[in-house]
Amino acid sequence: MDEVLKIINDIKAGNIKPIYFLMGEEPYYIDRITEYLENNILSEAEKDFNQIVVYGVDTTVEDIVANAKRYPMMAERQVVIVKEAQNLVKTIDKLESYAENPQPTTVLVIAYKYKSLDKRKTVYKTIHKHGLVYESKKMYENQVGQWISRVLQGRGYSIEPKANAMLVAFLGNDLSRIANELTKLEIILPKGSTITPNHIEENIGFSKDFNIFEFRKAIGDKNQLKAYQIAEYFAQNQKENPMVLINGQVFSFFSGLLLYHGLKDKSPSNVAKVLRVSPYFVNDYIGAAKIYPMRKVSSVIATLRDIDVKSKGVGANALPPSDMLKEMLVKIFN
């Protein structure tokens, strides 16, 4: 995020590179930088003749270079934007000769999403030397909560820890999807508001009481009544709560619990780091470790692997999800 702000601040200051090669597994920041360049390098009047947007699936590197070598019309520079450039993966090396001597009056923006160039290749080194290469890496889930708080703070909002944890639990590290949901909340809530679990439930559709996050906590606390209530809710709402996802989340929790048992340093900060979870969830592991010793955790993991196979239709004779959930809880709690 700090690197993105630096790129944007440099552009605002007039320090504009001839090539922006934006790559990596996380598309969110690639899209944001591309969008900023698309909207802010040229004036609206200049864009008609000097801004070209093409898509990797519909163009070639040769065509991109030909466009980049053009001179601007009645403007200081032109902008050539290549979206979905990952479709040019087999021919992207051909960009090397242009990158060696880029047109100074052209800003070439290449959005190369979900992939990264091999940094050992000459084309990468050449672009890095004469332009700017930004790599957008996927965040770990334990980093996303902090990202949500920072984004909201920058927009004049705050969020309660449980609401933050709910977003991470349901949306994972998909920053684009999280950003879309936050935008919905900002439309509804006045600036200065604190986002609560109720706001998440009412406006995004995640139940604050009957969700996988509360299900895992109920299991971790060995709160059998609540766990069975949530399981019943899941069984009645299978479309929103597929068995494969439920089992995967519970498996992830017990796998983390197994790691926790093996830690020498059980400080909250180290637990969050090693387990790659939000600090909000650390107490769940600390509490569950007192209830489930390592041998029991290993047994539960074996059970969950068996249920995973059944949930995928292997040797289960079309066992309904409600029965698999009951089987899961019976074997965990016994």
Side-chain angles (χ1 to χ4, degrees):
M1 192 171 180
D2 292 337
E3 186 179 356
V4 175
L5 289 174
K6 183 180 185 308
I7 291 170
I8 290 174
N9 286 334
D10 281 348
I11 295 167
K12 287 179 179 178
N15 182 17
I16 299 171
K17 304 293 184 181
I19 304 175
Y20 289 86
F21 198 97
L22 314 172
M23 65 182 192
E25 294 181 357
E26 175 51 66
Y28 177 78
Y29 283 120
I30 294 174
D31 288 338
R32 297 291 77 74
I33 297 171
T34 301
E35 184 179 88
Y36 187 84
L37 288 160
E38 186 172 359
N39 293 334
N40 292 279
I41 297 294
L42 301 177
S43 68
E44 289 302 317
E46 292 171 330
K47 287 178 184 177
D48 289 341
F49 296 104
N50 297 288
Q51 186 152 290
I52 300 169
V53 179
V54 297
Y55 290 82
V57 71
D58 298 321
T59 192
T60 64
V61 174
E62 289 83 358
D63 286 342
I64 293 166
V65 170
N67 281 319
K69 287 183 174 179
R70 290 173 57 241
Y71 288 96
M73 294 179 61
M74 297 177 289
E76 290 184 12
R77 56 173 61 92
Q78 68 160 348
V79 177
V80 178
I81 300 172
V82 186
K83 298 184 176 181
E84 308 297 338
Q86 66 274 10
N87 288 292
L88 297 167
V89 61
K90 294 181 179 178
T91 57
I92 198 69
D93 287 357
K94 294 181 180 179
L95 193 63
E96 181 188 329
S97 59
Y98 176 80
E100 187 65 52
N101 187 27
Q103 184 81 347
T105 54
T106 293
V107 179
L108 175 59
V109 183
I110 301 174
Y112 193 82
K113 297 193 288 190
Y114 314 112
K115 301 177 182 291
S116 290
L117 284 180
D118 186 335
K119 295 177 183 178
R120 298 168 296 181
K121 285 192 169 186
T122 307
V123 65
Y124 171 86
K125 294 176 182 177
T126 305
I127 295 171
H128 188 269
K129 179 180 178 182
H130 296 284
L132 181 144
V133 179
Y134 168 71
E135 184 171 13
S136 184
K137 296 180 180 179
K138 276 284 185 185
M139 280 187 183
Y140 294 123
E141 285 195 14
N142 64 315
Q143 299 172 312
V144 176
Q146 184 181 9
W147 179 84
I148 291 171
S149 296
R150 287 182 66 184
V151 168
L152 287 171
Q153 185 179 18
R155 299 177 184 179
Y157 294 82
S158 60
I159 186 167
E160 290 185 4
K162 183 176 178 180
N164 192 317
M166 285 173 68
L167 286 173
V168 178
F170 289 110
L171 302 177
N173 59 354
D174 187 338
L175 301 189
S176 296
R177 191 176 171 199
I178 292 171
N180 288 338
E181 299 299 347
L182 294 179
T183 299
K184 291 180 189 176
L185 291 170
E186 289 167 21
I187 292 170
I188 297 164
L189 302 173
K191 188 164 287 191
S193 297
T194 297
I195 296 169
T196 68
N198 283 336
H199 292 138
I200 302 294
E201 181 175 36
E202 293 167 5
N203 300 293
I204 299 180
F206 305 141
S207 170
K208 70 179 188 300
D209 298 314
F210 295 92
N211 55 61
I212 188 60
F213 151 57
E214 293 292 341
F215 186 59
R216 293 194 322 183
K217 181 169 174 50
I219 291 173
D221 293 341
K222 213 168 187 179
N223 185 337
Q224 297 189 39
L225 176 60
K226 186 172 182 179
Y228 278 105
Q229 287 175 336
I230 297 173
E232 181 63 26
Y233 175 85
F234 287 164
Q236 294 174 6
N237 298 272
Q238 295 176 27
K239 186 176 179 181
E240 295 80 14
N241 304 281
M243 187 63 209
V244 172
L245 176 61
I246 295 167
N247 194 70
Q249 287 286 338
V250 178
F251 181 87
S252 174
F253 177 76
F254 277 94
S255 296
L257 196 54
L258 193 64
L259 276 175
Y260 176 86
H261 274 299
L263 289 177
K264 291 182 179 179
D265 179 2
K266 288 185 169 65
S267 64
S269 60
N270 190 57
V271 171
K273 179 181 177 182
V274 175
L275 273 57
R276 293 181 178 175
V277 298
S278 165
Y280 182 80
F281 291 115
V282 169
N283 284 335
D284 293 351
Y285 288 91
I286 293 172
K290 297 174 183 176
I291 297 171
Y292 299 95
M294 187 176 285
R295 181 174 294 182
K296 177 61 177 177
V297 173
S298 298
S299 172
V300 170
I301 287 174
T303 293
L304 295 171
R305 283 178 174 151
D306 180 56
I307 291 174
D308 180 59
V309 171
K310 290 180 180 179
S311 70
K312 294 171 181 173
V314 180
N317 295 321
L319 196 65
S322 58
D323 287 352
M324 283 188 278
L325 282 166
K326 289 175 185 176
E327 178 183 345
M328 174 196 292
L329 293 179
V330 166
K331 291 184 175 179
I332 289 175
F333 292 141
N334 286 347

